[in-house]
Amino acid sequence: MLPNFLFISILSSFILTHSHSQCIDYQKNLLLQLKNELIFNSPLSSKLSQWNQTDNCCKWQGVGCDVSGNVVTLQLNNESISGGVNDSSSLFKLEHLHKLNLAYNDFKRAPISKGIRSLTNLTHLNLSYAAFGGQVAAEILSLKRLGSLDISNDYRGNARYHTLLLNMNPLKLDHPNLEMLVGNLTGLPELYLDGVNVTSSHERKEWSRVISSFLPNITGLSLCRCSLFGPLFKSFWKLRSLSVLRLDLNDLSRVVPDMFASFDIRYSKFGKS
Ligand SMILES: *[C@@H]1O[C@H](CO)[C@@H](O)[C@H](O)[C@H]1NC(C)=O
Ligand SMILES: *[C@@H]1O[C@H](CO)[C@@H](O)[C@H](O)[C@H]1NC(C)=O
Ligand SMILES: *[C@@H]1O[C@H](CO)[C@@H](O)[C@H](O)[C@H]1NC(C)=O
Ligand SMILES: *[C@@H]1O[C@H](CO)[C@@H](O)[C@H](O)[C@H]1NC(C)=O
Ligand SMILES: *[C@@H]1O[C@H](CO)[C@@H](O)[C@H](O)[C@H]1NC(C)=O
Ligand SMILES: *[C@@H]1O[C@H](CO)[C@@H](O)[C@H](O)[C@H]1NC(C)=O
Ligand SMILES: *[C@@H]1O[C@H](CO)[C@@H](O)[C@H](O)[C@H]1NC(C)=O
Ligand SMILES: *[C@@H]1O[C@H](CO)[C@@H](O)[C@H](O)[C@H]1NC(C)=O
């Protein structure tokens, strides 16, 4: 039997994209408008800078279409984007999108745009390490098809960026708080919230109960540097689907790692701040 996390990566690569599909004109125009709206450093961009009128947009770098030519994936990670996404952005008119990746850009602590609510078919949303800031947009709670949410906000393992970003208005879960987030996304298998500010000390203490009661089928969880403390609730030990768990840089000193022997957890790490 394959481990769960392997299933997930196989499944997610099955959202088929076809580079031979013929791009639909109005969606091509939306992409060109998006390129025009985005503020990005052209010489440092390997994908966006190549988009132009001439080609079939389904063949553009970072763009994936379904068999009918609808744009279903947009991977604009590490494209030196520094702004240009507001509520009326063309991005939010690409209503067929399943996967959106804006990781590793620098949005200069701008909030996540409320326009995200228009992308109701999103299954994968990745806004990690993109320097979004402030309150996590409540509109994310309405994305009921999400299978993976990554809004990690912290340069994992990179000490230089780590200190750079420490006190710089990170994303915070305040309203919505953690419970509202997972209470609205109950089917969510993968949740990555590294470095997100869980503002309530009640939730920092109760997080394991909150996660286990609302996300009983969770397979991947990463909550590094969220100022969490223990103890871990019994119900958390019963999360049998969990195969990836990262909790580094919290104060979980009371956790006895031996207890994890009863789990099927890979890549788990523990540490305290
Ligand atoms: C959004 O940005 C565009 C330019 O990219 C601008 O024309 C428009 O006025 C902005 N809309 C809002 C609501 O800020
Ligand atoms: C359009 O982009 C393609 C690569 O995607 C490039 O080969 C071609 O030269 C570009 N055309 C123009 C007019 O920029
Ligand atoms: C981003 O792209 C640059 C090249 O422009 C590359 O050197 C760097 O490793 C990339 N970073 C990530 C996180 O992919
Ligand atoms: C959203 O997904 C559903 C089910 O897969 C599909 O029927 C619908 O057409 C999709 N909507 C868009 C705008 O792609
Ligand atoms: C989000 O995107 C980054 C950059 O592509 C990647 O390293 C990271 O694993 C992605 N997160 C998830 C949950 O797939
Ligand atoms: C869902 O989110 C709303 C806020 O948008 C919140 O009021 C509600 O309590 C949440 N539901 C659960 C079950 O947490
Ligand atoms: C968790 O999985 C079980 C068994 O597949 C299913 O019956 C249940 O509805 C799932 N719960 C949630 C909240 O998705
Ligand atoms: C987290 O949010 C709280 C409440 O808004 C604030 O007092 C604290 O400074 C924030 N922590 C960080 C690291 O930004």
Side-chain angles (χ1 to χ4, degrees):
M1 175 109 171
L2 287 169
N4 282 319
F5 70 90
L6 208 55
F7 269 127
I8 292 165
S9 39
I10 292 170
L11 279 177
S12 45
S13 59
F14 261 125
I15 299 169
L16 296 174
T17 55
H18 301 254
S19 57
H20 303 301
S21 306
Q22 189 53 47
C23 153
I24 296 170
D25 258 356
Y26 86 89
Q27 293 187 33
K28 177 181 185 169
N29 289 333
L30 286 173
L31 290 171
L32 289 170
Q33 279 171 35
L34 175 63
K35 175 181 177 180
N36 198 41
E37 292 160 9
L38 288 174
I39 302 162
F40 66 100
N41 186 332
S42 201
L44 293 179
S45 145
S46 59
K47 304 172 194 171
L48 275 173
S49 57
Q50 304 294 311
W51 295 4
N52 62 44
Q53 275 292 350
T54 53
D55 244 351
N56 175 357
C57 74
C58 296
K59 293 181 179 168
W60 293 353
Q61 292 292 308
V63 176
C65 296
D66 65 9
V67 68
S68 331
N70 292 306
V71 174
V72 289
T73 70
L74 203 50
Q75 309 268 2
L76 294 178
N77 48 303
N78 199 19
E79 282 290 286
S80 74
I81 301 168
S82 57
V85 179
N86 63 24
D87 297 354
S88 43
S89 167
S90 303
L91 174 62
F92 303 122
K93 296 176 184 140
L94 292 164
E95 55 180 357
H96 299 280
L97 277 184
H98 285 279
K99 289 189 181 182
L100 175 62
N101 190 341
L102 294 174
Y104 294 102
N105 287 295
D106 182 4
F107 284 90
K108 304 195 180 306
R109 299 298 165 191
I112 297 166
S113 173
K114 296 181 195 316
I116 197 78
R117 73 178 149 241
S118 307
L119 302 179
T120 51
N121 269 4
L122 276 186
T123 56
H124 293 69
L125 179 59
N126 190 336
L127 305 176
S128 60
Y129 315 110
F132 285 103
Q135 186 58 63
V136 170
E139 285 70 18
I140 286 180
L141 278 46
S142 63
L143 302 176
K144 299 298 183 196
R145 290 172 195 256
L146 277 188
S148 167
L149 175 64
D150 189 350
I151 50 173
S152 293
N153 207 23
D154 156 60
Y155 286 78
R156 191 187 303 138
N158 186 328
R160 194 169 66 88
Y161 289 113
H162 205 88
T163 33
L164 215 66
L165 291 173
L166 262 177
N167 295 309
M168 284 183 59
N169 182 31
L171 280 173
K172 63 178 175 185
L173 279 168
D174 181 2
H175 195 91
N177 58 21
L178 181 65
E179 181 159 344
M180 288 176 191
L181 180 75
V182 298
N184 278 271
L185 297 175
T186 49
L188 193 68
E190 291 186 84
L191 180 62
Y192 296 84
L193 298 175
D194 297 354
V196 172
N197 187 351
V198 176
T199 59
S200 137
S201 61
H202 176 73
E203 288 205 312
R204 287 175 180 183
K205 181 164 176 283
E206 300 281 319
W207 65 275
S208 67
R209 188 188 52 76
V210 170
I211 297 286
S212 52
S213 50
F214 288 106
L215 302 178
N217 298 333
I218 192 161
T219 59
L221 178 67
S222 195
L223 295 169
C224 301
R225 209 167 66 74
C226 289
S227 306
L228 309 177
F229 51 98
L232 277 81
F233 282 78
K234 246 185 182 164
S235 53
F236 194 76
W237 309 121
K238 295 183 182 146
L239 294 174
R240 294 296 169 190
S241 306
L242 199 55
S243 59
V244 175
L245 174 65
R246 293 191 210 98
L247 296 169
D248 325 20
L249 301 166
N250 291 293
D251 188 7
L252 300 175
S253 47
R254 277 188 282 173
V255 175
V256 184
D258 273 1
M259 295 177 78
F260 281 90
S262 60
F263 271 86
D264 186 23
I265 291 179
R266 292 160 191 85
Y267 309 139
S268 59
K269 276 189 175 179
F270 291 89
K272 48 181 193 149
S273 48

